[in-house]
Amino acid sequence: MKKFNFRKVLDGLTASSPGGSAGGGGAGGGSAHPGGTAGAAGTPREEIQETLTSDYFQICKTVRHGFPYLPTALAFDPVQKILAIGTRTGAIRILGRPGVDCYCQHESGAAVLQLQFLINEGALVSACADDTLHLWNLRQKRPAILHSLKFNRERITYCHLPFQSKWLYVGTERGNTHIVNIESFILSGYVIMWNKAIELSTKTHPGPVVHLSDSPRDEGKLLIGYENGTVVFWDLRSKRADLRAYYDEAIHSVAWHHEGKQFMCSHSDGSLTLWNLKSPNRPFQTTIPHGKIQRDGKKPESCKPILKVEYKTCKNSEPFVIFSGGLSYDKACRRPSLTIMHGKAITVLEMDHPIVDFLTLCETPYPNEFQEPYAVVVLLEKDLIVVDLTQSNFPIFENPYPIDIHESPVTCTEYFADCPPDLIPVLYSVGAKHKKQGYSNKEWPISGGAWNLGAQTYPEIIITGHADGSVKFWDASAITLQMLYKLKTSKVFEKQKSGEGKATAEIVEEDPFAVQMMYWCPESRIFCVAGVSAYVVIYRFSKHEVNTEIASLEVRLQYEVEDIITPEPEIIPQFPDASSQLPSLKSLSGSTNTVACEGMMKDSIPCLSVKTRPVRMPPGYQADLVIQLVWVDGEPPQQITSLAVNSAYGLVAFGNCNGLAVVDFMQKTVLLSMGTLELYGSSDPYQRQPRSPRKSKQFAAVKGSRKLSLPTDLKTDLDHVNGHCTSPTSQSCSSGKRLSSADVSKANRRGPGRPPFRKAQSAACMEISLPVTTEGYISRRAMLQQLHGISSFSHDERHCTAHTWMNKENRENSFSRSRSSSVSSIDRDSKEAITALYFMESFARKNDSAVSPCLWVGTGLGMVLILSLNLPASDDLRQSEPVMVSPSGTVLTLKGAVLTFACLDCTGTLIHPPYEVWRDPHSADDGEKTRKRKLVMHSPSSSQDMGDHQFAVICSEKQAKVFSLPSQTCLYVHNITETSFLLQADVVTLCNSVCLACFCANGHIMTLSLPSLRPLLDINYLPVTDMRIARTFCFSNEGQALYLSSPTEIQRLTYSQEMCDNLQDMLGDLFTPVETPEAQNRGFLKGLFGGSGQAFDREELFGEATAGKASRSLAQHIPGSGGIEGVRGAAGGVIGDLTRARIALDERGQKLGELDERTASMMASAEAFSKHAHEVMLKYKDKKWYQF
């Protein structure tokens, strides 16, 4: 794929030839469509002035939402009130008040071991698994690394930075303790070696350093905890151990009492030991909080390790001892828990996920004052909760962050930027009624940072579909994310009883309600969901609660060629049950109705059962109709690969690898249900029924000229490889059905064209490989199968296997193969899947003089068919008169599976499909006016008759074409990629214009102008390292896009230059100027007899003058990119002005420094010159001129 390096050059790329305007833009360049003529192509081009140029485009990530994936570390700044979370992938998320959410990433990708805030300094230290320390500058909106320090010979295990100190203590795996200057990030020469810290008589190594902290009473004393149970109290001034304590169980953590006279240790046997500095020989108190007390007075039995303990004092009550772990071994199934001991009361809080870390939030940052804890932040593997300690029942705070995106795994996403403004308050009002009770009534304690709305004002909504059948609507305006409303689609079905799976008609064992595709019309508020068990549910929005039965239809779709190829639309039955059709109409359903002659053969039964009793539906989205595909002759229904709804027409269309169904959801009838081959009628370009030798020859030519590719529509969690369909749970369409003699003769009638075509396709399958991961895919089929692979199903073996959407990462990144061999299954049954559908007012035929309702159908073989829709003339007849659906005979072709359609009017403006204005279906006011439907047929910009022609934009996984309608001339074609394939393509609006946005499997994000298909942007931005990216990537208007970057996080990005420029103003500030609270006055007597002793000058002790330099080979200093250059890019607003002033001063200081150095060197050279001149003068002073 060629890269575009010069934007300006691209803007001038317009080809002079009528059909080849794409030029050499993408790989493979443009190729003129044979149908194009200069006359037809020239006129529209002159009329349309395209406004978008490459200057309008730039790609950058904007914000990341959701729970940090695989968290490992936690830190809190008690003055700034911001929280930092580190992860196993080297990411750091910094959270403050709602709206303040920052994501940064270590370039190395090494796991974050520990985080330490420089309290109220606007900086953060991270220690990573590659033994590197980093200092992050948080005083800019996008934090950057100021310094890094890489340890070469030792592994970092623990760090501690005392409050208001610039010296960081670093413990290592060898048991040594080093000291780092935070300002210069240089190692001090002061080292506490493990063999000096322990007694000389000790024969064993004490293990890694697991704890470091200075005494609250005296900053000159450092407490060092070693893994094997040794605790050393080190005097930093005299460089010797004041005392040593030994315990025979491994230490996991240590916590001080604020007075500095006692400390508590947690151990691997579930015990807590309390030590007094005056008697270090043995602990003065040992408890096993969850251990059973033995009757004979023996020591309580040991428990699971207590991984962390915190010991926090209160002025007016007993101290809090809070710890994680420590439960008894006999309760194997017990959930992870946090124990809070307050006086004699012990409270165990059970968690849904394992505890990674926790922190107690206290009123004061000073370690030598009463701590007064008020909350505990608990970081779990998949959640973040905050417990209120001020109330005796310890309620949790309601979390304002969108960290429950992954409550059930996300299976699909939709993004709507610039949607109708009334939707967000309406959805919020129906969603707010489902709020849970029992939360703390206090405000969320993580309230730091500052955030303003920014300049971007249009409303945005993100919709996520989930594995449990739930759908969540999110307010995504102004780069925030807030949940609006949750819809549970599984409620329309009866609950599955365990153990019935094999006896029933299920095709998916786990997550049978997983949402596979969604279609939303914001204007009419109609919402449609396609589920993994081959069903479609249509929802209407109402503000009123109703109690009603759910209407349901069953549809048969079978891939079979019948004698009658062109159906007569007039004889399509109007009753919903397809299985009861008359024999003469059997071809219309694309199936034959056979009676189940075998005992267990399933026929005409759906996969799930819809509730038959009346169902209470709360305000919000209410199910209007459920459509289910049924088993046919013992074969399960194939999963849905495309979905479209139109509220003005009252129709829903959906297709799979067998064929297409169109349903009238107003009259609740099936209008059309036929196999893909039958849709062509006599226009089938592959001549599955050859009519003359000449036509056969023509097909051979077409076959030779097209590079056969593997079609797919990855937007839908399915993959249809050459029409061989593997579901998002990877269901194979390969049917092992028996062929009757009629079937054999039917197959022979198909003509000679079909089998070679299949063979060529499967050969292509083996040739195309995908260079996107280190493993490398054997074929594109393998890539596609992985993209959606969640389960496999083989009819030959009559066996169904499934594994859930919630996969481990390593399983998700391994192949999920179909049980049958890829080549043989494709050869055996190559089907043409329906991959794209689009309702539109358009010209269905070449000689049409006016637009009419149409359904555009795109297939996996690059075929585009237009179906004409004949709707009743008046609204009064819409409920009673039948709707007619008939093939128009129009067939257009592209390379690769069709992904998307759009229509532009003669001025190049996007025409929105017609829609019905929303009205509440259960409104109390049921007068004549409210019952009449209000339809909007065209967008306001094209008010009159939309001119005499349109542009149809069609994009497949390989190329984009623009046709002029009604002439069907191909005006422009652009071959987007030869070596890869598109995963997602959408026609989007940007800056009051329109363009085609594409995301390619090789990681390129591209935009093309419309209608001329000039390349405007092509950046290799996002390698598809994970199948999740391919499954969830979606574009929206105004230059917005998103994808799931991990199972728990949504990453949003923009491809708009304007948004990139304004992004700085929209991001939150992590650092706000806050006064550090003053230390409490400790009183004269306390200071005299036992307060924090004499002042301790760390600079004097650890500085180079006293301690000397550390060994250069021990650690290497790496300057970061977040210095002056990093700050310069982050400046904005008043703080930006101050920052710029500070930068200017810094630069001036640097220049003055350089000037001083230059002056000094000039003075030195002048002195040297003077000295040499003086020496020369002395040498020759007394000599006469003739003596020289």
Side-chain angles (χ1 to χ4, degrees), residues 263-280:
F263 61 88
M264 183 179 283
C265 300
S266 72
H267 299 277
S268 56
D269 65 343
S271 64
L272 294 172
T273 54
L274 195 59
W275 301 77
N276 197 316
L277 292 182
K278 289 183 179 174
S279 54

Tab-separated table of all heavy atoms in Angstrom, residues 263-280:
chain	number	residue	atom	x	y	z
A	263	PHE	N	4.706	-0.259	65.162
A	263	PHE	CA	4.372	-0.557	63.766
A	263	PHE	C	3.760	-1.952	63.690
A	263	PHE	O	3.965	-2.787	64.578
A	263	PHE	CB	5.602	-0.431	62.845
A	263	PHE	CG	6.735	-1.354	63.159
A	263	PHE	CD1	6.803	-2.637	62.623
A	263	PHE	CD2	7.768	-0.952	64.012
A	263	PHE	CE1	7.850	-3.494	62.906
A	263	PHE	CE2	8.827	-1.804	64.309
A	263	PHE	CZ	8.868	-3.073	63.754
A	264	MET	N	2.992	-2.159	62.636
A	264	MET	CA	2.275	-3.423	62.467
A	264	MET	C	2.745	-4.098	61.179
A	264	MET	O	2.967	-3.422	60.170
A	264	MET	CB	0.765	-3.155	62.391
A	264	MET	CG	-0.088	-4.390	62.288
A	264	MET	SD	-1.851	-3.964	62.237
A	264	MET	CE	-2.183	-3.594	63.939
A	265	CYS	N	2.914	-5.423	61.231
A	265	CYS	CA	3.311	-6.192	60.034
A	265	CYS	C	2.219	-7.195	59.684
A	265	CYS	O	1.569	-7.752	60.576
A	265	CYS	CB	4.607	-6.960	60.285
A	265	CYS	SG	5.998	-5.926	60.703
A	266	SER	N	2.040	-7.431	58.379
A	266	SER	CA	1.121	-8.495	57.942
A	266	SER	C	1.964	-9.621	57.359
A	266	SER	O	2.984	-9.373	56.706
A	266	SER	CB	0.134	-7.968	56.897
A	266	SER	OG	0.765	-7.748	55.661
A	267	HIS	N	1.517	-10.870	57.603
A	267	HIS	CA	2.367	-12.024	57.273
A	267	HIS	C	1.658	-13.036	56.393
A	267	HIS	O	0.441	-12.999	56.217
A	267	HIS	CB	2.831	-12.696	58.569
A	267	HIS	CG	3.640	-11.782	59.439
A	267	HIS	ND1	4.977	-11.560	59.258
A	267	HIS	CD2	3.265	-11.023	60.508
A	267	HIS	CE1	5.401	-10.703	60.179
A	267	HIS	NE2	4.393	-10.366	60.946
A	268	SER	N	2.468	-13.991	55.919
A	268	SER	CA	1.970	-14.981	54.959
A	268	SER	C	1.085	-16.043	55.607
A	268	SER	O	0.435	-16.805	54.905
A	268	SER	CB	3.153	-15.655	54.266
A	268	SER	OG	4.013	-16.214	55.237
A	269	ASP	N	1.056	-16.107	56.964
A	269	ASP	CA	0.193	-17.105	57.622
A	269	ASP	C	-1.129	-16.496	58.065
A	269	ASP	O	-1.855	-17.094	58.861
A	269	ASP	CB	0.922	-17.728	58.816
A	269	ASP	CG	1.206	-16.710	59.914
A	269	ASP	OD1	1.131	-15.487	59.621
A	269	ASP	OD2	1.496	-17.115	61.053
A	270	GLY	N	-1.436	-15.281	57.550
A	270	GLY	CA	-2.708	-14.637	57.918
A	270	GLY	C	-2.653	-13.937	59.261
A	270	GLY	O	-3.702	-13.617	59.821
A	271	SER	N	-1.437	-13.700	59.797
A	271	SER	CA	-1.317	-13.064	61.112
A	271	SER	C	-0.930	-11.597	60.980
A	271	SER	O	-0.341	-11.172	59.974
A	271	SER	CB	-0.271	-13.798	61.953
A	271	SER	OG	1.003	-13.681	61.357
A	272	LEU	N	-1.273	-10.816	62.003
A	272	LEU	CA	-0.845	-9.421	62.147
A	272	LEU	C	0.001	-9.350	63.415
A	272	LEU	O	-0.426	-9.828	64.478
A	272	LEU	CB	-2.046	-8.488	62.284
A	272	LEU	CG	-2.975	-8.362	61.071
A	272	LEU	CD1	-4.212	-7.546	61.435
A	272	LEU	CD2	-2.252	-7.711	59.900
A	273	THR	N	1.183	-8.765	63.311
A	273	THR	CA	2.033	-8.608	64.506
A	273	THR	C	2.208	-7.129	64.785
A	273	THR	O	2.416	-6.339	63.856
A	273	THR	CB	3.406	-9.265	64.296
A	273	THR	OG1	3.998	-8.749	63.101
A	273	THR	CG2	3.295	-10.773	64.179
A	274	LEU	N	2.119	-6.738	66.054
A	274	LEU	CA	2.305	-5.347	66.477
A	274	LEU	C	3.596	-5.276	67.284
A	274	LEU	O	3.783	-6.034	68.241
A	274	LEU	CB	1.100	-4.908	67.325
A	274	LEU	CG	0.928	-3.401	67.558
A	274	LEU	CD1	0.798	-2.647	66.242
A	274	LEU	CD2	-0.309	-3.138	68.419
A	275	TRP	N	4.495	-4.390	66.862
A	275	TRP	CA	5.829	-4.300	67.469
A	275	TRP	C	6.001	-2.946	68.158
A	275	TRP	O	5.520	-1.931	67.668
A	275	TRP	CB	6.928	-4.451	66.402
A	275	TRP	CG	6.874	-5.745	65.657
A	275	TRP	CD1	6.022	-6.080	64.660
A	275	TRP	CD2	7.712	-6.879	65.865
A	275	TRP	NE1	6.262	-7.352	64.215
A	275	TRP	CE2	7.312	-7.876	64.934
A	275	TRP	CE3	8.764	-7.175	66.742
A	275	TRP	CZ2	7.908	-9.116	64.844
A	275	TRP	CZ3	9.382	-8.408	66.647
A	275	TRP	CH2	8.949	-9.382	65.716
A	276	ASN	N	6.742	-2.984	69.267
A	276	ASN	CA	7.091	-1.752	69.975
A	276	ASN	C	8.589	-1.528	69.809
A	276	ASN	O	9.375	-2.465	69.964
A	276	ASN	CB	6.733	-1.894	71.463
A	276	ASN	CG	6.677	-0.544	72.141
A	276	ASN	OD1	7.546	0.288	71.930
A	276	ASN	ND2	5.653	-0.350	72.962
A	277	LEU	N	8.975	-0.302	69.484
A	277	LEU	CA	10.396	-0.033	69.253
A	277	LEU	C	11.246	-0.276	70.503
A	277	LEU	O	12.439	-0.535	70.404
A	277	LEU	CB	10.590	1.417	68.783
A	277	LEU	CG	10.035	1.766	67.396
A	277	LEU	CD1	10.334	3.208	67.050
A	277	LEU	CD2	10.605	0.863	66.324
A	278	LYS	N	10.617	-0.184	71.676
A	278	LYS	CA	11.394	-0.353	72.915
A	278	LYS	C	11.715	-1.818	73.187
A	278	LYS	O	12.663	-2.130	73.891
A	278	LYS	CB	10.617	0.242	74.088
A	278	LYS	CG	10.571	1.764	74.033
A	278	LYS	CD	9.851	2.342	75.234
A	278	LYS	CE	9.838	3.867	75.173
A	278	LYS	NZ	9.027	4.440	76.261
A	279	SER	N	10.888	-2.756	72.678
A	279	SER	CA	11.161	-4.181	72.921
A	279	SER	C	11.033	-4.949	71.607
A	279	SER	O	10.011	-5.583	71.344
A	279	SER	CB	10.163	-4.736	73.949
A	279	SER	OG	8.837	-4.464	73.535
A	280	PRO	N	12.095	-4.874	70.771
A	280	PRO	CA	12.011	-5.471	69.446
A	280	PRO	C	12.244	-6.977	69.421
A	280	PRO	O	12.193	-7.577	68.358
A	280	PRO	CB	13.126	-4.747	68.684
A	280	PRO	CG	14.124	-4.408	69.736
A	280	PRO	CD	13.362	-4.161	71.000
